[in-house]
Amino acid sequence: MGTERKRKVSLFDVVDDSLAKKVKSNGGANNSVANALINRWNARPYSQRYFDILEKRKTLPVWHQKEEFLQVLKDNQTLILVGETGSGKTTQIPQFVLDAVELETPDKRKKMMIACTQPRRVAAMSVSRRVAEEMDVTIGEEVGYSIRFEDCSSARTVLNLTSGFHRYLTDGMLLREAMTDPLLERYKVIILDEAHERTLATDVLFGLLKEVLKNRPDLKLVVMSATLEAEKFQGYFFGAPLMKVPGRLHPVEIFYTQEPERDYLEAGIRTVVQIHMCEPPGDILVFLTGEEEIEDACRKITKEISNLGDQVGPVKVVPLYSTLPPAMQQKIFEPPPPPLKEGGIPGRKIVVSTNIAETSLTIDGIVYVIDPGFAKQKVYNPRVRVESLLVSPISKASAHQRSGRAGRTQPGKCFRLYTERSFNNDLQPQTYPEILRSNLANTVLTLKKLGIDDLVHFDFMDPPAPETLMRALEVLNYLGALDDDGNLTKLGEIMSEFPLDPQMSKMLVVSPEFNCSNEILSISAMLSDECVLLGCHQQLSSLGSMPPVGMHHRILIPNCFVRPREAQKAADEAKARFGHIDGDHLTLLNVYHAYKQNNEDPSWCYDNFVNHRALKSADNVRQQLVRIMARFNLKQCSTDFNSRDYYVNIRKAMLAGYFMQVAHLERTGHYLTVKDNQVVHLHPSNCLDHKPEWVIYNEYVLTSRNFIRTVTDIRGEWLVDVAPHYYDLSNFPQCEAKRVLEKLYKKREKEKEETRSRR
DNA sequence: GAGCACTGC
């Protein structure tokens, strides 16, 4: 047998002496957890087991400060408002604001609006509903929301306003509005909520609003944030006054381990078991980094606790991550299981979650939080233009946010699986804002459209690396969105209107020239929806336990649900049904066509292992793209399906957008990305039946190897035709691809000469 | 022959 991993028990393992003895007397001979617990118990004095409470909260009702708040807002253009979760600022402050400012415009008949931004759609929606309720008005009349695909604050209502109007929207939506209304003139007050989250849109809005405020002395800005960075915000916004809103959370005791943990997953599981054995009733929330890890942990926790037998209460172990379908996410709100027998030990709910439970989803009843201190975070490498996800240590702010999740309904405890020293010395105070971790091509395009010409001197709160900006400008220039002086071109103007990456917008805008805009629209919609290809969970949850199969014949369901062989068979069937040998993009198109031909029938989707919910949302995206195309008179057209050029045209159009994402098959059998010369591998989910000499890819993923995912076969000749400016050999690194391209250029020259001499 | 943190337009 393999070597058994040595258990390392951390300091808060043993809480109660008598319980440890009880475990021993019950003869847990097969129970390694109990044994480890007892050994450790014997080895350490109790006094060393705990560190002390770190964070205690004062409670002072926000409402005492209302008058002060109104006065400060009257006297200042910008105000920073700091408050913990649960302070009620999100619903209360906008209402105060309404009392504080005169919403009438010089034209007395017109009223103005208050914008309140949130980083997430659900929040914008639910907060506006709650406020409407509190104000006792119908949603959409005095309070409304505006998110992508859904505007619940129609222009008609707003025009007829007799009082002020609160509009809750996502930060991204406000940024969109700024593109057509640069001074945001419809708003009298703008409230940026959850500003500490520092989303890309929030950061761009920061810089933009600083400019707008200078040009609109009547505009008020309220920046609402959690505590830690308040002074930084203050400094950035012209030393604006800062007000504090006390929180209403219960105190949370923080515990650290005395020594670093080698294996956070194992330590997390062990801590869950310890809490379950030793702590009073209350649900547990464990933070882990991803789907696979979470499913794995759920299985292990269930197993270990069932090994304990009836000396402990029953548990309900629930996974939580965003790709889980809503029906299964709902399980986190179910009550803990009842005692096994009357008067027995009460049950416990154990939620094992990604960062989604840190901010996006709130679970009441959590008393214990286990924080191993890691999360998957996006990082961007401008040198090779690759964004990837990396498991990395969280920030102090994030740790703080996690621990707060234990104190929503009663005093709680947070177990940090790292040392206090590590917390103080190793964790950075804040998570790096997204703008420092992203490819900024799209952001730069938006900024250009907003009229920001000098990006280098744009007042970012945290300026991105110059190399990242250079890369973005370069990409946009190659795509023809910016001219050589960095000015927005007509093409760039149109591209900026699409809620897509620049490569994809470019492909869409030029697709009519290749006589295939209908097909490119479908492919774009399918690509921009995150999980069209992963039908598994949805099927499982809605229709029973069928083999979980995505169109990429991936097997994503934990093996406990299905035997791999069956899943593989079903996957192969699905592949045979829709797979296009020339590439994954074309396979996506096949799926979309089949879906439409079968009248969008959910049971057809089920029978064919495709995700109905995802296809519906892709269709929604497609409709939005169609509307934008129509606005710019870009015609919708298709090549005759029976023509040999049908797929050729589609592949060429894709290349017109993605010519910078091409890989060449070397004689060694490896793919090298063109120009960047990175060794990459076709992701095994591809549906090609051969290894093409040239491929375009949609995504570059760094996992166990460098993979390119969603790939399509293209021809070298097309590179020379479609993007000669990028495939300019005088500016090209020495490589095999270059030599092949040289031949292709010569071939083209020869053909040209021949046609000339024939004339 | 591998596996999508979380958002957003």
Side-chain angles (χ1 to χ4, degrees):
Chain A
M1 296 299 284
T3 50
E4 196 190 315
R5 199 157 43 173
K6 247 193 178 161
R7 285 187 179 282
K8 208 169 72 150
V9 179
S10 57
L11 284 180
F12 43 76
D13 278 339
V14 183
V15 176
D16 180 63
D17 188 15
S18 61
L19 196 127
K21 281 182 185 140
K22 201 171 103 194
V23 171
K24 195 171 190 176
S25 69
N26 279 351
N30 299 324
N31 183 348
S32 55
V33 178
N35 283 336
L37 186 155
I38 290 156
N39 292 340
R40 206 32 85 131
W41 174 253
N42 293 332
R44 282 178 203 262
Y46 185 83
S47 58
Q48 280 183 16
R49 279 179 212 124
Y50 287 108
F51 276 91
D52 213 349
I53 303 166
L54 244 204
E55 295 153 36
K56 283 215 172 77
R57 295 199 174 74
K58 304 167 208 102
T59 38
L60 198 134
V62 52
W63 332 127
H64 289 182
Q65 293 173 295
K66 180 174 175 181
E67 295 309 320
E68 188 191 341
F69 171 81
L70 295 183
Q71 195 53 49
V72 174
L73 192 63
K74 270 179 187 147
D75 298 343
N76 297 275
Q77 198 178 9
T78 306
L79 169 61
I80 317 284
L81 204 76
V82 163
E84 297 289 333
T85 330
S87 60
K89 62 182 177 353
T90 299
T91 51
Q92 297 296 329
I93 295 299
Q95 296 186 52
F96 292 177
V97 166
L98 205 54
D99 295 345
V101 293
E102 181 52 66
L103 288 167
E104 279 179 9
T105 53
D107 174 358
K108 293 277 180 202
R109 289 160 302 175
K110 272 168 102 183
K111 298 282 178 176
M112 290 174 100
M113 291 195 281
I114 296 173
C116 190
T117 76
Q118 288 283 331
R120 283 168 291 276
R121 281 189 220 163
V122 271
M125 224 158 70
S126 63
V127 172
S128 75
R129 292 221 173 97
R130 209 157 72 223
V131 170
E133 226 165 79
E134 278 175 30
M135 291 166 67
D136 200 23
V137 294
T138 312
I139 188 106
E141 276 175 16
E142 278 159 71
V143 179
Y145 63 88
S146 172
I147 57 177
R148 188 181 185 184
F149 305 127
E150 210 178 327
D151 189 355
C152 193
S153 57
S154 69
R156 189 179 46 83
T157 357
V158 175
L159 279 179
N160 297 330
L161 278 183
T162 50
S163 66
F165 190 91
H166 295 78
R167 180 185 240 189
Y168 285 84
L169 30 54
T170 50
D171 48 10
M173 203 66 189
L174 186 63
L175 200 55
R176 283 273 140 188
E177 289 186 357
M179 283 169 56
T180 48
D181 177 10
L183 289 179
L184 294 163
E185 282 174 294
R186 69 187 83 170
Y187 300 113
K188 187 82 172 197
V189 183
I190 291 171
I191 301 170
L192 299 181
D193 202 359
E194 313 290 355
H196 59 277
E197 288 194 27
R198 303 289 304 274
T199 66
L200 258 176
T202 298
D203 268 24
V204 174
L205 282 171
F206 278 168
L208 196 71
L209 284 168
K210 271 185 93 161
E211 288 302 307
V212 174
L213 287 167
K214 282 180 203 156
N215 296 304
R216 272 195 57 198
D218 64 312
L219 180 71
K220 302 266 185 198
L221 173 66
V222 180
V223 180
M224 304 210 283
S225 157
T227 40
L228 285 147
E229 265 189 318
E231 281 80 13
K232 182 173 180 178
F233 284 13
Q234 210 176 2
Y236 179 72
F237 285 108
F238 327 99
L242 189 151
M243 287 189 71
K244 293 195 177 177
V245 182
R248 289 186 300 193
L249 287 184
H250 299 275
V252 175
E253 276 186 279
I254 311 278
F255 302 101
Y256 296 92
T257 58
Q258 189 152 51
E259 287 159 25
E261 292 288 349
R262 213 176 9 197
D263 178 342
Y264 69 83
L265 180 60
E266 188 256 353
I269 294 167
R270 182 175 8 99
T271 309
V272 169
V273 174
Q274 296 301 334
I275 291 173
H276 187 55
M277 290 172 72
C278 309
E279 293 280 342
D283 297 337
I284 306 174
L285 171 62
V286 191
F287 285 101
L288 290 176
T289 64
E291 172 178 340
E292 206 180 333
E293 199 175 85
I294 285 167
E295 294 290 354
D296 186 34
C298 286
R299 276 193 298 274
K300 286 178 175 157
I301 291 168
T302 309
K303 188 166 158 258
E304 296 220 1
I305 288 178
S306 73
N307 281 348
L308 294 174
D310 55 10
Q311 51 183 296
V312 295
V315 291
K316 184 189 279 177
V317 184
V318 195
L320 177 64
Y321 42 87
S322 74
T323 48
L324 208 61
M328 285 174 86
Q329 285 189 5
Q330 283 303 311
K331 277 187 189 289
I332 61 169
F333 298 114
E334 289 174 8
L340 288 174
K341 54 179 185 276
E342 211 176 313
I345 312 167
R348 215 189 279 275
K349 183 168 64 179
I350 301 169
V351 180
V352 187
S353 171
T354 59
N355 258 358
I356 192 171
E358 197 177 302
T359 46
S360 310
L361 269 170
T362 300
I363 314 157
D364 282 329
I366 297 291
V367 179
Y368 306 99
V369 163
I370 299 169
D371 171 20
F374 290 94
K376 276 193 189 171
Q377 289 176 304
K378 186 167 73 178
V379 288
Y380 175 63
N381 179 345
R383 200 176 55 78
V384 287
R385 283 180 297 181
V386 173
E387 272 183 350
S388 50
L389 288 171
L390 213 64
V391 175
S392 29
I394 59 168
S395 63
K396 286 197 181 78
S398 183
H400 181 80
Q401 178 71 24
R402 287 180 173 192
S403 62
R405 293 309 197 177
R408 291 192 60 85
T409 35
Q410 66 179 81
K413 292 182 179 175
C414 173
F415 300 93
R416 293 183 176 159
L417 303 183
Y418 38 92
T419 62
E420 187 173 23
R421 191 190 156 85
S422 187
F423 175 84
N424 288 324
N425 301 341
D426 304 339
L427 299 194
Q428 54 188 85
Q430 295 291 330
T431 309
Y432 276 114
E434 206 186 351
I435 200 161
L436 302 182
R437 297 183 284 120
S438 308
N439 176 348
L440 295 182
N442 207 10
T443 305
V444 167
L445 185 61
T446 306
L447 284 167
K448 287 284 176 183
K449 169 70 189 176
L450 288 166
I452 314 296
D453 293 322
D454 185 0
L455 291 171
V456 180
H457 295 106
F458 182 69
D459 193 359
F460 290 108
M461 184 179 262
D462 286 286
E467 198 180 354
T468 305
L469 287 175
M470 291 307 295
R471 276 295 191 182
L473 290 166
E474 186 190 56
V475 164
L476 292 170
N477 179 240
Y478 277 129
L479 288 170
L482 299 179
D483 64 22
D484 291 348
D485 298 322
N487 298 315
L488 201 62
T489 61
K490 185 75 196 122
L491 174 67
E493 292 249 350
I494 301 173
M495 281 167 59
S496 74
E497 295 286 330
F498 288 92
L500 304 169
D501 278 345
Q503 287 86 342
M504 203 181 280
S505 334
K506 167 75 186 276
M507 152 174 110
L508 259 177
V509 175
V510 300
S511 61
E513 296 166 29
F514 294 88
N515 202 23
C516 60
S517 53
N518 285 320
E519 288 73 19
I520 294 295
L521 273 164
S522 307
I523 292 171
S524 304
M526 295 287 274
L527 285 173
S528 44
D529 194 284
E530 72 281 12
C531 54
V532 167
L533 309 175
L534 312 174
C536 51
H537 302 303
Q538 285 75 8
Q539 282 169 332
L540 249 186
S541 63
S542 63
L543 294 152
S545 57
M546 276 294 288
V549 179
M551 280 314 302
H552 268 198
H553 48 278
R554 278 185 226 162
I555 303 155
L556 282 177
I557 280 290
N559 293 334
C560 58
F561 287 113
V562 58
R563 285 196 296 278
R565 200 185 299 161
E566 289 171 26
Q568 188 61 55
K569 190 168 156 250
D572 289 344
E573 280 171 23
K575 181 182 170 185
R577 207 165 294 138
F578 303 109
H580 191 295
I581 56 162
D582 282 334
D584 302 320
H585 298 87
L586 304 179
T587 301
L588 287 173
L589 184 63
N590 283 350
V591 175
Y592 182 78
H593 282 158
Y595 169 68
K596 296 303 266 188
Q597 274 159 20
N598 287 281
N599 306 313
E600 303 160 33
D601 177 8
S603 63
W604 174 88
C605 291
Y606 175 70
D607 292 341
N608 289 278
F609 308 104
V610 298
N611 177 350
H612 178 249
R613 198 166 57 97
L615 275 165
K616 242 172 89 173
S617 115
D619 219 16
N620 208 359
V621 172
R622 194 181 188 282
Q623 284 166 30
Q624 189 189 25
L625 300 179
V626 165
R627 285 194 297 271
I628 300 171
M629 296 276 280
R631 223 164 67 212
F632 293 98
N633 296 319
L634 296 164
K635 71 173 191 282
Q636 281 181 254
C637 50
S638 297
T639 307
D640 176 14
F641 186 69
N642 297 313
S643 157
R644 272 159 122 193
D645 286 336
Y646 180 78
Y647 286 114
V648 169
N649 287 348
I650 294 169
R651 287 152 70 196
K652 283 184 177 169
M654 291 196 295
L655 190 59
Y658 287 89
F659 56 82
M660 283 171 280
Q661 297 180 13
V662 173
H664 179 252
L665 179 64
E666 307 283 294
R667 267 172 307 190
T668 55
H670 289 112
Y671 281 93
L672 271 192
T673 56
V674 167
K675 277 197 170 180
D676 297 326
N677 285 344
Q678 299 289 307
V679 178
V680 290
H681 305 270
L682 300 182
H683 195 277
S685 64
N686 80 77
C687 62
L688 296 163
D689 71 340
H690 59 296
K691 276 179 108 175
E693 186 184 359
W694 300 93
V695 291
I696 49 167
Y697 57 91
N698 183 57
E699 228 183 334
Y700 186 125
V701 285
L702 296 176
T703 48
S704 54
R705 302 165 97 179
N706 293 352
F707 287 109
I708 47 176
R709 191 161 54 193
T710 316
V711 291
T712 288
D713 183 341
I714 51 125
R715 306 205 35 157
E717 290 88 328
W718 302 343
L719 297 172
V720 172
D721 297 339
V722 171
H725 61 302
Y726 187 73
Y727 290 90
D728 168 17
L729 297 185
S730 65
N731 174 24
F732 213 91
Q734 236 9 280
C735 59
E736 227 176 283
K738 181 172 182 176
R739 290 189 286 278
V740 177
L741 285 165
E742 271 163 0
K743 282 184 200 150
L744 291 172
Y745 271 111
K746 280 187 188 135
K747 196 176 134 203
R748 275 284 185 268
E749 279 301 309
K750 222 169 141 189
E751 283 166 4
K752 272 184 205 158
E753 268 170 39
E754 278 167 15
T755 27
R756 265 199 295 268
S757 56
R758 242 181 264 138
R759 271 180 198 153

